[in-house]
Amino acid sequence: MRWVLAAIILGAASSAHAATLYEQLGGMERISRFTATMIDLSVADPRTAEKFDNSNLDRLKRVIAQHLCTVADGPCTYTRSLRGSHVQLELTQRHFYAVVENLQTAMDREGIPFRVQNRLLARLAPMIREVVTR
Amino acid sequence: MRFLARMVVVSFTLPGSAPAVGQPEAAAPLFDRGRLLATGGVSTVEGAGGGGLVPWALITGYATRDGVGVTGFGTAVVARDMNLYVAGAGIGLFDRVELTYARQWFDTRGVGAKLGLGQGYTFEQDVVGAKLRLLGDAVYAQDSWLPQLSLGAQYKINHQESLVRALGAARAQDAEFYLAASKLLLEHSVLLNGTVRLTRANQFGLLGFGGDRGDRYQPQFEGSVVWLASRDLAFGAEYRTKPDNLSFAKEGDAWDLFVAWFPSKHASVTLAYVDLGPIAGQRTQNGVYLSLQVGF
C-alpha cells in the first residue's frame, strides 16, 4: 500500500510539472515531420488536392509547422490571420475534416499517442470557424 | 436557414443538372462522409443515432452540413429469457435533421409459454424517429462548454394492441419526445451524452404505453460516457431510466457496457453487456447485445 501511495504522489507531482503539449508532440523536429506528411497526404488526397494547386508546398509546410508549434505552447510565434489565409480557398467542412484525418495519419506515423493527438486537435478544432467559409 | 438553402440547392440540382453558375470547381459529393470517424455513433434499439440505448445529439451518418448520410443497422439482444431483434435505417440531412425507422421483434421464448401466449410469442413494434439539431457542435466547439443540443421525437406503433391492452397498457401507439445533449471532450478523448425523454412507454413500448399505475408523460433520464481509445475503437457505459406503469410486472432501469469498433465510415460493430431490468414478471434480463451498422 505504501509504495502505491508513493507512486500516486509521485505521479501527481510529475503531472504538476507536466510537459507542454509541444514537448509531448516531440518538439519542432517531429512537428515539422508530421506537418510535412500531413501536407503530402492532403496534396495526394482527391478530397483536398485542388486546394493546393497554387501553393508553395515547402513554404506552406514551414508556416503550418510554426502555427502548430505556437498552438502547442512551443517557442514559436505565429500571428497570421487564419481567415485571411484561407478565405480565398473557399473551404468546406469536408475539406477541414479531411486535413484533420491526414494530420491524424501523419501523427500516427510519428508514433504520437492518440490522447496526445487529441490534445492538439482540441486546440485546432475551433479554428474551423475561421478556416471554413463556405 | 442554411439547412433550407441546402435542401433547395439539392432539389434543384438533382438529378444530373448542370452545376450552378459561380461554382467552377467540381461539386463535392452529396454523400460526403466528411465528419470524423465514430462521430455518427451507432444506431440505438429505436433507430436513432447514438449509442445502443441512449440517443446522442449528433446526427446519424457522417455527412457534414453540405451532405447527406444514410445508415442501416441490425441488432440482436440475447437476454436470459427473451430476445430482442431490431432492424432499421436512417438518413442524416446536412448535419441538421435525422430521420429514422426501426422494426423491433421481441421474442419471449419460453416466457411466452409461461404467460399462456405460446412458446416464442413475438411482440412487434415500428418506431419512426426524427431529430433536429438545435444548436452547438459537439465536435469542433472545443473552446466552449456548450454541448450540441438536439430535439427528438419518436412515434411507436405496437402491433399487439389487444394483448398489450389486456396486460394493462392504456394504448398501443404513442409519441415520445426527447432533448439530447452531447459534448466531445477531445482534450480527454471522452464523449458525454445526456438525454431527457418524455414518455409513457412500457419496456420501450414493446408492452404498450401507459397503464393502471400511471398514464402520464414522465421525464426519464438517459446518459452515456464514451472513451475513445483510438480513432476506430470506443468503450462506453450507458444508463436509461424507464417508467413503471403496469402493476402486473415491475419495470426497472436499463444499462450497458459496450465496445464499438469502426473499421471504416461504412461499417461499425458494437458488442455490449446489457441489462434491460426485469421484464414481464421475469427476473432481470441481462445478456449480450450485438449490433452491426453500415452506412454511406
Side-chain angles (χ1 to χ4, degrees), chain A residues 24-39:
Chain A
Q24 289 183 332
L25 289 169
M28 200 59 204
E29 193 181 326
R30 202 149 63 149
I31 289 174
S32 297
R33 274 208 307 270
F34 70 67
T35 301
T37 307
M38 170 186 77
I39 296 298

Side-chain angles (χ1 to χ4, degrees), chain B residues 56 184 189-193 224-228 234-237 258:
Chain B
W56 294 357
L184 176 63
S189 305
V190 167
L191 176 72
L192 299 178
N193 300 283
S224 61
V225 180
V226 184
W227 173 57
L228 306 167
F235 296 86
F258 70 83

Side-chain angles (χ1 to χ4, degrees), chain B residues 129-201:
Chain B
K131 186 197 286 177
L132 172 69
R133 180 162 71 89
L134 297 177
L135 54 91
D137 188 292
V139 177
Y140 73 64
Q142 293 296 314
D143 51 351
S144 156
W145 280 100
L146 190 71
Q148 179 165 333
L149 282 178
S150 292
L151 198 61
Q154 292 178 335
Y155 194 78
K156 299 179 170 179
I157 303 164
N158 186 307
H159 295 284
Q160 270 60 42
E161 178 165 2
S162 51
L163 177 55
V164 298
R165 282 182 183 276
L167 292 172
R171 61 189 61 73
Q173 301 187 11
D174 206 10
E176 54 186 34
F177 308 91
Y178 64 86
L179 182 67
S182 295
K183 186 75 195 173
L184 176 63
L185 304 174
L186 193 51
E187 177 100 20
H188 305 287
S189 305
V190 167
L191 176 72
L192 299 178
N193 300 283
T195 297
V196 179
R197 184 190 302 255
L198 289 176
T199 181
R200 39 191 183 185

Side-chain angles (χ1 to χ4, degrees), chain A residues 95-115:
Chain A
H95 294 122
F96 184 87
Y97 286 126
V99 173
V100 170
E101 288 172 1
N102 293 332
L103 174 57
Q104 290 177 311
T105 301
M107 289 193 287
D108 281 346
R109 289 188 190 171
E110 291 295 324
I112 295 170
F114 183 64
R115 59 185 170 77

Side-chain angles (χ1 to χ4, degrees), chain A residues 50-51 92-94 97 100-101 104-105 108 114-115 118-119 121-122 125-126 128-129 132 134, chain B residues 2 23 25 29 32 34-36 64-66 140-143 186-187 189 228-231 265:
Chain A
E50 66 183 352
K51 297 300 180 185
T92 63
Q93 290 188 342
R94 180 167 180 261
Y97 286 126
V100 170
E101 288 172 1
Q104 290 177 311
T105 301
D108 281 346
F114 183 64
R115 59 185 170 77
N118 284 346
R119 289 191 62 201
L121 296 180
I128 196 172
R129 300 193 196 98
V132 171
R134 279 202 53 202
Chain B
R2 175 181 276 268
Q23 292 187 325
E25 296 153 13
D32 70 5
R35 278 158 53 210
L36 298 176
T64 68
R65 65 187 185 185
D66 305 310
Y140 73 64
Q142 293 296 314
D143 51 351
L186 193 51
E187 177 100 20
S189 305
L228 306 167
S230 66
R231 263 202 270 182
K265 290 182 184 174

